[in-house]
Amino acid sequence: MLLDTYGRRAVDLRVSLTDRCNLRCTYCMPEEGLQWLAKPELLTDEEIVRLVAIAVRDLGVREVRFTGGEPMLRPGLVSIVAACAQLAPRPELSLTTNGIGLARTAAALRQAGLDRVNVSLDTLDPDTFHTLTRRHRHQDVLAGLAAAEAAGLTPVKLNAVLMRGVNDHEAADLLEWCLRHGYELRFIEQMPLDAQHGWDRSRMITAEEILERLGERFTLTPEASAARGAAPAERWVVDGGPGRVGVIASVTRPFCRACDRTRLTADGQIRNCLFATEESDLRSALRSGAGDAEIGALWRRAMWGKKAGAGIDNPEFHQPDRPMSAIGG
């Protein structure tokens, strides 16, 4: 098992497949992009599958989420999913994506064994989409969402970040649209993981503000706290159900006490917290011939040292150097 000194058990593995992305979201990276990891630094497909196998077989991981960067840019994505679907015990497999390319790949991913997807979409307006992402790809994301639903990658979950003065007026419209299409919407507070370190706590749209804006159009009834478990999203039933909406309040309502996640970066580093400032190197152990037991021991040690909390709710919080694109959120 992957335990820490506070008794938390990590059963949810987030795997970053690449640090690259085909969007340039303003809350994530600069317009010119970043200096991407060189190919030799990235884990190979075989190395990724081996580490996932160790996590599932030896360390008690039950859920695996493939992330990035943008994981759809990984050429071996379908084969990685297929290999992980053959593991015993079989983990639940999901994917977080911006949706670009999903229209042509959703069916293959489902056939390979992927269970569901989370798609990022912050706006219903194509012009606002371009303002936020610096790309004209709004229609591609909508097509990807529809393809995921048609392929059976359900429930299709939609992640949205609200930016003050840009798309924060769309909160209720986004929820209404998702309810109409059968998607599960999650609003995420903007987090200090941008490469340019431009995050400003005072300009962040908080969970309280999001709920206030939704409440102007909908009646929201909070789910029982037991239904949440270790999930990062607090959920509300909308207008009596069956529709629901979630809010991931990582900054104003941190949920560190129930955290059950461990993260593997695209270059083979273990992060025991999304906001950690330290990492543990598994890639070197892999490439120096370490056995599965030795790698498992390194992973356990990395998780054992996990702090009680990220400290993100503290005004003195120090933002990690590595941006979201390299971490595997």
Side-chain angles (χ1 to χ4, degrees):
M1 292 189 295
L2 291 172
L3 292 172
D4 64 36
T5 55
Y6 298 92
R8 294 169 297 194
R9 180 183 173 190
V11 297
D12 184 338
L13 169 61
R14 308 295 171 96
V15 181
S16 175
L17 298 181
T18 178
D19 60 330
R20 297 173 184 265
C21 189
N22 43 12
L23 296 181
R24 296 291 182 270
C25 296
T26 56
Y27 53 78
C28 187
M29 67 176 70
E31 185 171 5
E32 64 272 16
L34 301 171
Q35 183 173 346
W36 310 119
L37 291 167
K39 188 173 182 179
E41 297 179 59
L42 296 172
L43 294 175
T44 66
D45 294 359
E46 293 75 16
E47 288 171 334
I48 290 170
V49 173
R50 182 183 171 195
L51 289 175
V52 173
I54 292 170
V56 170
R57 184 190 63 235
D58 302 334
L59 302 177
V61 164
R62 299 195 297 263
E63 302 176 29
V64 177
R65 173 87 61 86
F66 298 108
T67 70
E70 172 45 53
M72 297 289 292
L73 296 179
R74 179 87 185 201
L77 173 61
V78 174
S79 62
I80 291 171
V81 170
C84 292
Q86 297 302 312
L87 297 175
R90 185 199 189 281
E92 178 183 323
L93 300 173
S94 60
L95 177 78
T96 294
T97 172
N98 61 29
I100 297 172
L102 191 56
R104 64 175 180 272
T105 315
L109 287 168
R110 184 72 180 107
Q111 186 173 5
L114 192 70
D115 295 304
R116 63 175 186 82
V117 294
N118 286 46
V119 179
S120 299
L121 180 64
D122 303 321
T123 177
L124 300 175
D125 181 77
D127 292 331
T128 304
F129 182 89
H130 179 259
T131 298
L132 284 166
T133 68
R134 305 182 177 105
R135 297 291 186 270
H136 292 288
R137 306 301 295 271
H138 189 258
Q139 191 56 47
D140 294 327
V141 181
L142 298 186
L145 282 163
E149 179 78 22
L153 294 169
T154 55
V156 175
K157 296 184 179 181
L158 193 148
N159 298 334
V161 176
L162 297 181
M163 301 291 289
R164 195 174 301 280
V166 181
N167 65 332
D168 52 318
H169 62 286
E170 290 191 70
D173 291 339
L174 278 163
L175 178 52
E176 184 174 298
W177 185 81
C178 284
L179 292 171
R180 188 164 65 247
H181 287 83
Y183 305 142
E184 294 190 13
L185 177 60
R186 300 285 186 275
F187 288 103
I188 304 175
E189 285 183 338
Q190 183 198 2
M191 293 182 284
L193 289 169
D194 58 307
Q196 59 269 41
H197 286 208
W199 179 79
D200 183 347
R201 187 183 300 266
S202 67
R203 289 191 53 76
M204 180 190 68
I205 302 294
T206 66
E208 209 57 50
E209 290 177 273
I210 294 168
L211 293 170
E212 181 180 333
R213 294 174 194 207
L214 295 179
E216 294 172 357
R217 191 179 305 179
F218 304 98
T219 299
L220 303 180
T221 306
E223 279 193 336
S225 57
R228 181 182 182 184
E234 295 179 78
R235 298 207 309 174
W236 284 261
V237 178
V238 182
D239 291 342
R244 283 165 170 74
V245 64
V247 178
I248 299 177
S250 301
V251 178
T252 62
R253 302 179 188 177
F255 38 87
C256 301
R257 289 183 181 180
C259 181
D260 66 350
R261 282 165 291 287
T262 180
R263 288 179 165 82
L264 177 65
T265 68
D267 55 349
Q269 310 301 304
I270 289 298
R271 296 179 67 91
N272 59 27
C273 173
L274 184 61
F275 302 102
T277 55
E278 298 177 348
E279 299 175 337
S280 299
D281 183 11
L282 294 189
R283 185 188 64 196
S284 294
L286 273 175
R287 294 181 180 178
S288 64
D292 290 359
E294 183 179 346
I295 292 170
L298 289 172
W299 205 328
R300 288 188 185 95
R301 195 175 306 138
M303 295 308 297
W304 186 250
K306 186 172 183 173
K307 296 178 180 179
I312 194 171
D313 52 338
N314 187 328
E316 303 302 317
F317 170 79
H318 175 67
Q319 181 172 341
D321 291 331
R322 293 256 265 181
M324 175 69 82
S325 61
I327 291 173

